[in-house]
């Protein structure tokens, strides 16, 4: 059973059956009902490849975890963003296709693979040591949205939290708590970590606070072990800041473990603030003060932005979302502070 047989049984042309399958309007209701009834009786279901050929759309979205060091499915922040994205794209009528980048230095690239699988667009999740093939994809005609990754091609956009402003909120909180000796733990290989670090340093200078290089330590990635080793090195140096901003909650968890193993109390000896507000922050001892990024909103906005580019309903653009400081035990409590009135859902369009 195929489209030709259906056309013969209905006494119509193959093109008419194709139009009915793909919901064209220029077919009479009577003909449409006749063809659909025959398809129902015969159990015929058009293949996805046939529909793709007719409409030039596959309704597939490529998902790429960028970078030689990528987060894959192991980072709770990006998993929550991706879950939100998946749900919204499903409501918009799209399925997801996950690309592997294990052999991205080998023959073949993302552009060729996207064309091979006929994806309608891609979401690209930030990693570390991003491969050149990502930026080739960015400059192609394939619609792309980067999450925590700047993409600026003609058919690309990106979405992320305003990292500079988030870092400023952390410094302001430390300042209001009376902390003047501030440190930082991040990752040398992450653009997001570096932007948080730059915003943090800028805010420290704005408040006229001392800036000591030995209180800034970068690990290899955003995970617990890097936070642990960075904090351990700082402890062994014999010079500790009074408060530390960790560029991710997982780094903060590792740092807390190192402090506790060395008999130091949080926040009595060293206060800690993380970033992302992953769910485990509520259950650690102490619970972690953190910068909350609206993960559901990030995923939902990424889906709508990509949908609009694919369907030419809007120009490619990029937005920054405002974050919120969530105060818990690891860095005191200021329930009356205006710092908490941040407006989680505000969005700033930057191009």
């Amino acid at each position: 059973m195929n489209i030709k047989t259906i056309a013969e049984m209905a006494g119509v042309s193959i093109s008419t059956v194709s139009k009915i399958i793909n919901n064209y309007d220029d077919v009479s209701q009577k003909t449409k009902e006749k063809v659909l009834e025959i398809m129902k009786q015969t159990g015929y279901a058009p293949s996805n490849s046939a529909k793709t050929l007719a409409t030039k759309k596959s309704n597939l979205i490529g998902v790429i975890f960028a970078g030689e060091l990528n987060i894959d499915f192991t980072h709770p922040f990006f998993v929550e963003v991706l879950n939100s994205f998946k749900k919204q794209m499903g409501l918009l009528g799209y399925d997801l296709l996950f690309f592997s980048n294990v052999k991205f230095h080998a023959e073949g690239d993302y552009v060729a693979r996207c064309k091979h699988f006929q994806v309608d667009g891609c979401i690209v999740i930030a990693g570390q040591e991003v491969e050149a093939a990502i930026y080739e994809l960015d400059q192609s005609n394939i619609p792309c949205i980067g999450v925590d990754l700047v993409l600026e091609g003609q058919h690309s956009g990106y979405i992320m939290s305003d990292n500079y402003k988030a870092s400023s909120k952390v410094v302001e909180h430390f300042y209001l708590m009376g902390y003047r000796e501030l440190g930082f733990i991040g990752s040398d290989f992450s653009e997001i970590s570096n932007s948080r670090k730059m915003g943090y340093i800028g805010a420290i200078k704005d408040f006229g606070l001392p800036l000591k290089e030995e209180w800034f330590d970068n690990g290899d990635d955003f995970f617990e072990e890097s936070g642990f080793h960075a904090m351990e090195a700082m402890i062994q140096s014999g010079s500790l800041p009074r408060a530390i901003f960790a560029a991710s909650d997982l780094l903060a968890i590792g740092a807390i473990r190192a402090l506790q193993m060395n008999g130091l109390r949080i926040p009595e000896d060293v206060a800690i603030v993380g970033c992302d507000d992953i769910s485990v922050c509520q259950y650690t001892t102490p619970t972690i003060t953190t910068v909350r990024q609206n993960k559901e909103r990030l995923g939902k906005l990424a889906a709508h932005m990509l949908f609009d580019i694919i369907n030419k309903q809007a120009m490619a653009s990029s937005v920054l979302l405002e974050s919120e400081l969530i105060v818990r035990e690891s860095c005191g409590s200021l329930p009356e502070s205006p710092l908490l009135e941040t407006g989680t859902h505000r969005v700033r369009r930057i191009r």
Side-chain angles (χ1 to χ4, degrees):
M1 187 60 60
N2 54 43
I3 192 170
K4 182 180 179 182
T5 308
I6 296 294
E8 290 173 353
M9 292 176 68
V12 298
S13 67
I14 293 174
S15 64
T16 297
V17 177
S18 178
K19 287 181 178 180
I20 292 168
I21 289 171
N22 293 291
N23 297 315
Y24 281 76
D25 296 328
D26 56 343
V27 179
S28 70
Q29 187 63 30
K30 182 178 179 180
T31 301
K32 186 180 292 187
E33 290 174 357
K34 181 180 179 182
V35 171
L36 291 174
E37 181 59 30
I38 291 171
M39 289 171 63
K40 181 180 178 181
Q41 290 174 359
T42 59
Y44 172 73
S47 68
N48 188 61
S49 58
K51 295 178 75 174
T52 300
L53 190 64
T55 63
K56 309 299 182 186
K57 290 184 67 177
S58 66
N59 284 73
L60 283 176
I61 300 298
V63 179
I64 299 171
F65 294 101
E68 187 168 0
L69 300 172
N70 59 69
I71 52 88
D72 220 23
F73 294 101
T74 55
H75 198 295
F77 168 74
F78 286 108
V79 168
E80 288 189 53
V81 173
L82 192 55
N83 279 337
S84 174
F85 176 83
K86 178 191 71 171
K87 179 179 179 180
Q88 195 60 44
M89 289 308 312
L91 293 172
L92 293 169
Y94 290 81
D95 289 316
L96 305 187
L97 176 67
F98 288 81
F99 285 91
S100 169
N101 72 346
V102 174
K103 296 184 178 180
F104 65 74
H105 290 301
E107 185 177 349
D109 57 29
Y110 289 123
V111 175
R113 290 157 73 188
C114 286
K115 290 180 178 178
H116 174 76
F117 291 105
Q118 298 180 300
V119 298
D120 295 335
C122 288
I123 182 172
V124 186
I125 311 293
Q128 297 177 186
E129 299 182 27
V130 175
E131 58 270 37
I134 290 293
Y135 298 106
E136 292 170 7
L137 177 64
D138 176 34
Q139 296 301 315
S140 74
N141 62 356
I142 297 168
C144 293
I145 289 292
V147 176
D148 274 1
L149 179 67
V150 175
L151 298 179
E152 297 181 306
Q154 187 176 351
H155 303 281
S156 300
Y158 64 91
I159 184 167
M160 64 176 67
S161 294
D162 190 330
N163 292 297
Y164 283 83
K165 188 174 286 188
S167 298
S168 296
K169 289 177 182 178
V170 173
V171 175
E172 184 177 338
H173 180 65
F174 284 154
Y175 188 81
L176 291 174
M177 293 294 296
Y179 304 139
R180 300 295 183 264
E181 300 169 319
L182 309 183
F184 179 85
I185 294 175
S187 169
D188 271 330
F189 303 101
S190 166
E191 289 300 320
I192 294 301
S193 175
N194 288 334
S195 66
R196 288 172 187 168
K197 181 180 178 181
M198 290 302 100
Y200 190 64
I201 289 173
I204 288 174
K205 290 179 177 178
D206 289 342
F207 279 97
L209 301 178
L211 188 63
K212 293 191 177 181
E213 188 176 333
E214 63 265 30
W215 293 340
F216 283 68
D217 203 316
N218 286 325
D220 295 328
D221 53 42
F222 266 154
F223 293 96
E224 296 97 319
E225 282 305 303
S226 286
F228 177 84
H229 292 303
M231 190 71 256
E232 186 71 25
M234 211 179 292
I235 293 168
Q236 296 306 317
S237 73
S239 176
L240 277 178
R242 183 62 186 84
I244 292 175
F245 177 36
S248 79
D249 289 331
L250 296 177
L251 287 171
I253 290 169
I256 287 171
R257 181 161 63 94
L259 288 165
Q260 290 174 334
M261 285 180 63
N262 283 274
L264 294 164
R265 301 165 301 164
I266 303 102
E268 290 85 355
D269 296 316
V270 179
I272 296 281
V273 171
C275 191
D276 294 335
D277 194 31
I278 60 176
S279 59
V280 72
C281 289
Q282 304 171 59
Y283 306 108
T284 55
T285 303
T287 56
I288 298 174
T289 296
T290 183
V291 177
R292 173 181 290 167
Q293 300 191 73
N294 194 322
K295 298 170 280 292
E296 181 180 357
R297 194 167 180 80
L298 275 166
K300 188 177 291 188
L301 279 170
H304 281 283
M305 290 166 67
L306 185 56
F307 179 85
D308 282 347
I309 300 172
I310 291 169
N311 294 284
K312 297 179 172 58
Q313 295 181 182
M315 297 289 289
S317 64
S318 303
V319 299
L320 296 179
L321 263 64
E322 187 152 346
S323 52
E324 180 184 8
L325 187 69
I326 304 300
V327 180
R328 299 194 181 102
E329 294 168 349
S330 71
C331 191
S333 180
L334 290 173
E336 302 303 323
S337 173
L339 188 66
L340 303 181
E341 299 171 8
T342 56
T344 320
H345 299 311
R346 279 184 285 172
V347 175
R348 179 159 68 89
R349 189 170 295 275
I350 57 177
R351 78 176 172 110

